[in-house]
Amino acid sequence: MYEAFAVALVVFLTVGGQELLGFSMLGRPIVIGPLVGLLLGDVKTGLMIGASLETIFMGIVNIGGASAAEPGLASALAVAFAIMMHGGLGVALPLAIPLGIIGLQIKTLIYVAVVGPFASKFDSMAAKGNQKGIVRLHYGLWTLQWFLYSLIPFFAMLFGSEATQKVLKMIPNIIVHGLSVAGNVLPAVGMAMLMKILWDKNISTFYFLGFLLVAYLKLPLIAVAVMGTIIAILVAQRDYQLHNIGQKVTAKPATAQETGTTETKEEQENDDFFS
Protein backbone atom coordinates (compact mmCIF):
# COMPACT_ATOMS: atom_id res chain seq x y z
CA MET A 1 0.00 0.00 0.00
CA TYR A 2 2.85 2.41 0.84
CA GLU A 3 4.51 1.90 -2.55
CA ALA A 4 1.25 2.56 -4.38
CA PHE A 5 0.61 5.74 -2.40
CA ALA A 6 4.21 6.97 -2.85
CA VAL A 7 4.22 6.52 -6.63
CA ALA A 8 0.78 8.14 -6.96
CA LEU A 9 1.96 11.10 -4.86
CA VAL A 10 5.04 11.57 -7.06
CA VAL A 11 2.90 11.56 -10.21
CA PHE A 12 0.43 14.00 -8.65
CA LEU A 13 3.12 16.47 -7.56
CA THR A 14 5.42 16.25 -10.59
CA VAL A 15 3.18 15.71 -13.62
CA GLY A 16 0.34 17.73 -12.12
CA GLY A 17 2.73 20.33 -10.74
CA GLN A 18 4.27 20.78 -14.16
CA GLU A 19 0.85 21.57 -15.59
CA LEU A 20 0.16 24.01 -12.76
CA LEU A 21 3.50 25.84 -12.67
CA GLY A 22 4.17 25.93 -16.40
CA PHE A 23 6.97 24.45 -18.45
CA SER A 24 9.06 23.56 -15.38
CA MET A 25 10.29 20.08 -16.45
CA LEU A 26 9.03 18.55 -13.20
CA GLY A 27 7.43 15.71 -15.10
CA ARG A 28 10.62 14.51 -16.79
CA PRO A 29 12.06 11.01 -16.11
CA ILE A 30 15.33 12.47 -14.80
CA VAL A 31 13.31 14.16 -12.02
CA ILE A 32 10.71 11.47 -11.33
CA GLY A 33 13.15 8.55 -11.29
CA PRO A 34 15.25 9.72 -8.31
CA LEU A 35 12.12 10.82 -6.41
CA VAL A 36 10.51 7.41 -6.76
CA GLY A 37 13.82 5.78 -5.85
CA LEU A 38 14.09 7.97 -2.75
CA LEU A 39 10.62 7.04 -1.51
CA LEU A 40 11.14 3.34 -2.27
CA GLY A 41 14.60 3.20 -0.70
CA ASP A 42 16.76 2.82 -3.83
CA VAL A 43 17.92 6.22 -5.09
CA LYS A 44 20.72 4.73 -7.19
CA THR A 45 18.39 2.55 -9.27
CA GLY A 46 15.90 5.39 -9.56
CA LEU A 47 18.57 7.75 -10.84
CA MET A 48 20.04 5.24 -13.31
CA ILE A 49 16.70 4.21 -14.79
CA GLY A 50 15.43 7.79 -14.75
CA ALA A 51 18.48 8.92 -16.74
CA SER A 52 18.07 6.02 -19.18
CA LEU A 53 14.39 6.76 -19.72
CA GLU A 54 15.22 10.46 -20.18
CA THR A 55 17.37 9.57 -23.16
CA ILE A 56 14.40 7.66 -24.61
CA PHE A 57 11.81 10.36 -23.95
CA MET A 58 14.17 13.30 -24.45
CA GLY A 59 12.66 14.29 -27.78
CA ILE A 60 9.08 14.16 -26.45
CA VAL A 61 7.79 17.57 -25.40
CA ASN A 62 4.00 17.84 -25.49
CA ILE A 63 3.01 21.38 -26.51
CA GLY A 64 -0.54 22.22 -27.52
CA GLY A 65 -1.87 19.59 -29.87
CA ALA A 66 1.61 18.28 -30.68
CA SER A 67 1.69 15.28 -28.32
CA ALA A 68 3.25 11.83 -28.55
CA ALA A 69 3.56 10.25 -25.08
CA GLU A 70 3.40 11.07 -21.39
CA PRO A 71 6.83 10.26 -19.89
CA GLY A 72 5.91 11.13 -16.28
CA LEU A 73 3.49 8.28 -15.60
CA ALA A 74 5.62 5.86 -17.61
CA SER A 75 8.79 6.73 -15.70
CA ALA A 76 7.19 6.54 -12.26
CA LEU A 77 5.73 3.07 -12.83
CA ALA A 78 8.74 1.73 -14.71
CA VAL A 79 11.17 2.80 -11.98
CA ALA A 80 8.89 1.50 -9.22
CA PHE A 81 8.44 -1.92 -10.83
CA ALA A 82 12.17 -2.17 -11.58
CA ILE A 83 13.02 -1.48 -7.93
CA MET A 84 10.40 -3.85 -6.53
CA MET A 85 11.38 -6.65 -8.95
CA HIS A 86 15.12 -5.99 -8.46
CA GLY A 87 15.56 -5.52 -12.19
CA GLY A 88 17.07 -2.86 -14.38
CA LEU A 89 16.21 -1.20 -17.64
CA GLY A 90 15.18 -4.61 -19.00
CA VAL A 91 12.21 -4.53 -16.65
CA ALA A 92 11.50 -0.82 -17.04
CA LEU A 93 11.66 -0.45 -20.83
CA PRO A 94 8.87 -2.92 -21.82
CA LEU A 95 6.54 -1.07 -19.46
CA ALA A 96 7.62 2.52 -20.08
CA ILE A 97 6.85 2.93 -23.77
CA PRO A 98 3.27 1.49 -23.84
CA LEU A 99 2.46 3.23 -20.56
CA GLY A 100 3.68 6.53 -22.01
CA ILE A 101 1.42 6.21 -25.07
CA ILE A 102 -1.63 5.01 -23.13
CA GLY A 103 -1.01 7.50 -20.32
CA LEU A 104 -1.18 10.47 -22.68
CA GLN A 105 -4.53 9.32 -24.08
CA ILE A 106 -5.95 8.85 -20.58
CA LYS A 107 -4.65 12.27 -19.52
CA THR A 108 -6.29 13.91 -22.54
CA LEU A 109 -9.55 12.03 -21.90
CA ILE A 110 -9.65 13.14 -18.25
CA TYR A 111 -8.91 16.71 -19.26
CA VAL A 112 -11.70 16.77 -21.84
CA ALA A 113 -14.20 15.06 -19.51
CA VAL A 114 -13.38 16.98 -16.31
CA VAL A 115 -12.07 20.43 -17.32
CA GLY A 116 -13.71 20.93 -20.71
CA PRO A 117 -17.35 21.19 -19.54
CA PHE A 118 -16.40 24.10 -17.23
CA ALA A 119 -15.11 26.37 -20.00
CA SER A 120 -18.43 28.22 -20.22
CA LYS A 121 -18.44 28.56 -16.43
CA PHE A 122 -15.10 30.36 -16.56
CA ASP A 123 -16.48 32.69 -19.24
CA SER A 124 -19.55 33.58 -17.18
CA MET A 125 -17.42 34.23 -14.07
CA ALA A 126 -15.06 36.43 -16.07
CA ALA A 127 -18.00 38.41 -17.46
CA LYS A 128 -19.24 39.01 -13.89
CA GLY A 129 -15.74 39.88 -12.63
CA ASN A 130 -15.78 37.00 -10.14
CA GLN A 131 -12.02 36.66 -9.71
CA LYS A 132 -12.16 34.61 -6.50
CA GLY A 133 -14.58 32.16 -8.09
CA ILE A 134 -12.25 31.69 -11.07
CA VAL A 135 -9.30 30.99 -8.76
CA ARG A 136 -11.25 28.49 -6.67
CA LEU A 137 -12.61 26.70 -9.71
CA HIS A 138 -9.17 26.64 -11.35
CA TYR A 139 -7.43 25.00 -8.41
CA GLY A 140 -10.38 22.74 -7.69
CA LEU A 141 -10.41 21.37 -11.24
CA TRP A 142 -6.63 20.97 -11.18
CA THR A 143 -6.82 18.95 -7.96
CA LEU A 144 -9.65 16.75 -9.26
CA GLN A 145 -8.01 16.15 -12.64
CA TRP A 146 -4.66 15.06 -11.27
CA PHE A 147 -6.19 13.10 -8.40
CA LEU A 148 -8.03 11.00 -10.98
CA TYR A 149 -4.86 10.67 -13.05
CA SER A 150 -2.86 9.58 -9.96
CA LEU A 151 -5.28 6.70 -9.43
CA ILE A 152 -3.71 5.00 -12.45
CA PRO A 153 -0.26 4.49 -10.85
CA PHE A 154 -1.93 3.80 -7.49
CA PHE A 155 -3.95 0.83 -8.76
CA ALA A 156 -1.14 -0.28 -11.09
CA MET A 157 1.20 -0.55 -8.10
CA LEU A 158 -1.50 -2.08 -5.95
CA PHE A 159 -2.16 -4.95 -8.37
CA GLY A 160 1.46 -5.36 -9.50
CA SER A 161 3.48 -5.28 -12.70
CA GLU A 162 2.16 -8.61 -14.03
CA ALA A 163 -1.42 -7.38 -13.86
CA THR A 164 -0.39 -4.11 -15.52
CA GLN A 165 1.29 -5.98 -18.37
CA LYS A 166 -1.75 -8.21 -18.79
CA VAL A 167 -4.02 -5.18 -19.05
CA LEU A 168 -1.73 -3.63 -21.66
CA LYS A 169 -1.72 -6.87 -23.66
CA MET A 170 -5.51 -7.03 -23.51
CA ILE A 171 -5.75 -3.81 -25.53
CA PRO A 172 -6.58 -4.80 -29.15
CA ASN A 173 -3.88 -4.19 -31.76
CA ILE A 174 -6.23 -2.02 -33.78
CA ILE A 175 -6.50 0.41 -30.85
CA VAL A 176 -2.75 0.47 -30.31
CA HIS A 177 -2.25 1.04 -34.05
CA GLY A 178 -4.85 3.82 -33.99
CA LEU A 179 -3.08 5.49 -31.09
CA SER A 180 0.25 5.34 -32.92
CA VAL A 181 -1.32 6.84 -36.06
CA ALA A 182 -2.92 9.58 -33.96
CA GLY A 183 0.43 10.23 -32.32
CA ASN A 184 2.00 10.74 -35.75
CA VAL A 185 -0.79 13.08 -36.87
CA LEU A 186 -0.99 15.16 -33.69
CA PRO A 187 2.31 17.03 -34.25
CA ALA A 188 0.95 18.33 -37.56
CA VAL A 189 -2.31 19.32 -35.85
CA GLY A 190 -0.37 21.09 -33.11
CA MET A 191 1.73 22.98 -35.65
CA ALA A 192 -1.43 24.00 -37.50
CA MET A 193 -2.97 25.29 -34.26
CA LEU A 194 0.15 27.32 -33.45
CA MET A 195 0.28 28.73 -36.99
CA LYS A 196 -3.38 29.74 -36.77
CA ILE A 197 -2.56 31.83 -33.70
CA LEU A 198 0.79 33.24 -34.82
CA TRP A 199 0.32 33.57 -38.59
CA ASP A 200 1.06 37.00 -39.99
CA LYS A 201 1.49 37.77 -43.68
CA ASN A 202 4.36 40.12 -42.81
CA ILE A 203 6.46 37.23 -41.51
CA SER A 204 5.20 34.52 -43.87
CA THR A 205 8.40 34.79 -45.94
CA PHE A 206 10.43 33.55 -42.98
CA TYR A 207 8.14 30.51 -42.62
CA PHE A 208 8.62 29.53 -46.26
CA LEU A 209 12.36 30.18 -45.97
CA GLY A 210 12.56 27.79 -43.00
CA PHE A 211 10.49 25.18 -44.82
CA LEU A 212 12.84 25.42 -47.82
CA LEU A 213 15.95 25.08 -45.66
CA VAL A 214 14.66 21.99 -43.83
CA ALA A 215 12.67 20.18 -46.54
CA TYR A 216 14.92 20.70 -49.55
CA LEU A 217 18.38 21.72 -48.32
CA LYS A 218 18.20 19.22 -45.40
CA LEU A 219 19.80 21.63 -42.93
CA PRO A 220 19.78 20.48 -39.28
CA LEU A 221 17.57 22.29 -36.80
CA ILE A 222 20.58 23.83 -35.03
CA ALA A 223 21.67 25.51 -38.26
CA VAL A 224 18.13 26.78 -38.89
CA ALA A 225 17.94 28.09 -35.31
CA VAL A 226 21.25 29.96 -35.71
CA MET A 227 20.07 31.46 -38.99
CA GLY A 228 16.81 32.49 -37.35
CA THR A 229 18.74 34.19 -34.54
CA ILE A 230 20.89 36.10 -37.05
CA ILE A 231 17.81 37.21 -38.99
CA ALA A 232 16.10 38.31 -35.77
CA ILE A 233 19.13 40.42 -34.80
CA LEU A 234 19.27 42.05 -38.25
CA VAL A 235 15.55 42.84 -38.18
CA ALA A 236 15.86 44.29 -34.68
CA GLN A 237 18.77 46.51 -35.75
CA ARG A 238 16.82 47.74 -38.78
CA ASP A 239 13.74 48.51 -36.66
CA TYR A 240 15.90 50.39 -34.16
CA GLN A 241 17.46 52.50 -36.93
CA LEU A 242 14.03 53.27 -38.43
CA HIS A 243 12.78 54.23 -34.99
CA ASN A 244 15.65 56.70 -34.51
CA ILE A 245 15.07 58.18 -37.96
CA GLY A 246 11.38 58.60 -37.19
CA GLN A 247 12.19 60.43 -33.97
CA LYS A 248 14.56 62.79 -35.79
CA VAL A 249 11.97 63.53 -38.48
CA THR A 250 9.31 64.42 -35.91
CA ALA A 251 11.72 66.56 -33.88
CA LYS A 252 13.12 68.47 -36.92
CA PRO A 253 10.11 70.75 -37.63
CA ALA A 254 9.99 71.90 -34.01
CA THR A 255 13.70 72.74 -34.11
CA ALA A 256 13.30 74.61 -37.38
CA GLN A 257 10.48 76.72 -35.99
CA GLU A 258 12.49 77.60 -32.89
CA THR A 259 15.56 78.71 -34.88
CA GLY A 260 13.52 80.48 -37.52
CA THR A 261 14.89 78.36 -40.38
CA THR A 262 12.66 76.85 -43.00
CA GLU A 263 13.31 73.59 -44.81
CA THR A 264 11.11 71.55 -47.04
CA LYS A 265 10.13 68.06 -46.00
CA GLU A 266 12.30 66.57 -48.74
CA GLU A 267 15.33 68.52 -47.52
CA GLN A 268 14.73 67.33 -43.97
CA GLU A 269 14.55 63.69 -45.09
CA ASN A 270 17.78 64.08 -47.08
CA ASP A 271 19.53 65.62 -44.09
CA ASP A 272 18.34 62.78 -41.82
CA PHE A 273 19.35 60.13 -44.35
CA PHE A 274 22.91 61.44 -44.81
CA SER A 275 23.46 62.42 -41.18
Side-chain angles (χ1 to χ4, degrees), residues 37-54:
L38 177 65
L39 293 178
L40 299 186
D42 194 347
V43 180
K44 181 180 178 180
T45 301
L47 181 60
M48 292 177 61
I49 297 179
S52 300
L53 293 178
E54 183 65 39

Side-chain angles (χ1 to χ4, degrees), residues 54-268:
E54 183 65 39
T55 60
I56 297 172
F57 291 108
M58 186 178 295
I60 296 178
V61 180
N62 300 317
I63 301 176
S67 305
E70 208 293 281
L73 173 68
S75 301
L77 288 175
V79 171
F81 285 139
I83 292 175
M84 294 179 64
M85 299 173 64
H86 304 286
L89 191 61
V91 174
L93 186 58
L95 286 171
I97 294 180
L99 282 172
I101 297 174
I102 301 298
L104 176 65
Q105 310 305 321
I106 296 176
K107 184 177 78 169
T108 304
L109 181 62
I110 294 175
Y111 180 81
V112 172
V114 175
V115 181
F118 287 90
S120 59
K121 186 67 174 177
F122 279 106
D123 291 337
S124 62
M125 286 183 176
K128 297 177 182 177
N130 188 0
Q131 182 178 356
K132 293 183 179 179
I134 293 175
V135 172
R136 287 195 296 267
L137 184 59
H138 169 72
Y139 285 105
L141 289 176
W142 175 82
T143 303
L144 177 60
Q145 177 188 357
W146 296 108
F147 171 77
L148 294 176
Y149 190 70
S150 300
L151 292 178
I152 301 172
F154 178 81
F155 286 111
M157 291 295 299
L158 199 63
F159 292 110
S161 61
E162 294 184 1
T164 303
Q165 286 180 323
K166 289 181 180 178
V167 172
L168 292 175
K169 291 180 180 179
M170 288 172 59
I171 301 175
N173 291 331
I174 188 172
I175 295 180
V176 176
H177 178 68
L179 292 175
S180 63
V181 171
N184 293 329
V185 173
L186 282 175
V189 176
M191 181 60 67
M193 293 173 62
L194 295 175
M195 286 181 61
K196 184 178 180 181
I197 298 172
L198 302 175
W199 183 259
D200 188 344
K201 62 181 181 180
N202 295 324
I203 60 174
S204 60
T205 53
F206 298 111
Y207 168 78
F208 291 110
L209 175 61
F211 181 82
L212 177 66
L213 294 175
V214 174
Y216 290 95
L217 300 182
K218 306 298 182 182
L219 289 181
L221 293 180
I222 294 178
V224 176
V226 172
M227 292 182 65
T229 303
I230 295 173
I231 292 174
I233 293 173
L234 293 175
V235 172
Q237 290 177 343
R238 186 202 63 179
D239 291 345
Y240 180 73
Q241 291 172 354
L242 293 175
H243 175 72
N244 290 337
I245 293 175
Q247 285 186 331
K248 290 180 180 179
V249 170
T250 55
K252 197 72 173 181
T255 305
Q257 292 177 2
E258 293 174 0
T259 58
T261 60
T262 58
E263 280 185 322
T264 64
K265 185 176 181 180
E266 184 178 354
E267 291 174 342
Q268 293 173 3

